[in-house]
Amino acid sequence: MAGRSDRLGGLGRVLIAVYIVLALAATFRSVYQIIAKFDEAPLAYTLSAVSGVVYIVATIALIKRRGAWRAVAWVALSFELLGVLVVGALSIAVPELFGHDSVWSYFGRGYVFIPLVLPVLGLVWLSRSGTGGRA
C-alpha cells in the first residue's frame, strides 16, 4: 500500500538532505582550496571540485527524479560510486599522487565514509522508487 506510491519516503528525504549538505561542503571546500592553495595539490582539489559538482547534479536529479532526471540521477550516483572507489583505492595504493586528501580519498574517510555509503543508498532508493513509471 504505502511502498512505492510514497512520493519521497523517509529514506528519500534523508538522502536528499545529506546530498545537499555534502554538495555545499564539497563545493565550498574545493573553491577555497583552489583559490588559496591549488599549487599544493592540484589533482586532489580538482577531484574535490568534481565531487562537489556531482553532488549538486545528484541532489537536483534526486529531487526531480522523473523523466530524464531519473536517468541523470542513475548516471550521477553511478559516477559518484565509481569515483569514490577509484580515488579511494588510488589514495591507498599511490598516496603521493594526490598531495592532500580529496572528498573521495580513502573512500571518503574525511567525511566519515558518507561518500562511499551515500551513492549505494541512493542507487537502492532509485531502484525501489518509481520503477513502474517507465512505460
Side-chain angles (χ1 to χ4, degrees):
M1 247 195 320
R4 26 176 223 168
S5 65
D6 185 23
R7 284 182 42 131
L8 221 91
L11 178 59
R13 287 186 187 102
V14 170
L15 279 170
I16 290 168
V18 173
Y19 265 103
I20 290 169
V21 170
L22 208 50
L24 291 171
T27 302
F28 286 122
R29 174 186 177 184
S30 68
V31 167
Y32 165 75
Q33 290 170 325
I34 288 170
I35 290 171
K37 49 189 179 176
F38 184 75
D39 57 325
E40 292 178 21
L43 180 58
Y45 299 154
T46 301
L47 286 170
S48 288
V50 167
S51 69
V53 170
V54 170
Y55 292 133
I56 291 168
V57 171
T59 302
I60 294 167
L62 287 172
I63 290 169
K64 297 194 179 262
R65 90 180 149 84
R66 289 201 179 358
W69 283 107
R70 187 170 186 78
V72 170
W74 277 101
V75 170
L77 272 60
S78 298
F79 179 86
E80 174 191 353
L81 180 58
L82 181 64
V84 172
L85 293 174
V86 169
V87 172
L90 286 173
S91 61
I92 290 170
V94 195
E96 63 275 2
L97 183 64
F98 298 97
H100 294 159
D101 285 355
S102 75
V103 174
W104 293 341
S105 293
Y106 302 98
F107 305 104
R109 177 180 68 185
Y111 286 81
V112 197
F113 300 101
I114 292 170
L116 178 61
V117 175
L118 199 59
V120 173
L121 291 176
L123 291 167
V124 167
W125 181 64
L126 275 176
S127 71
R128 292 184 178 181
S129 66
T131 54
R134 265 224 177 229

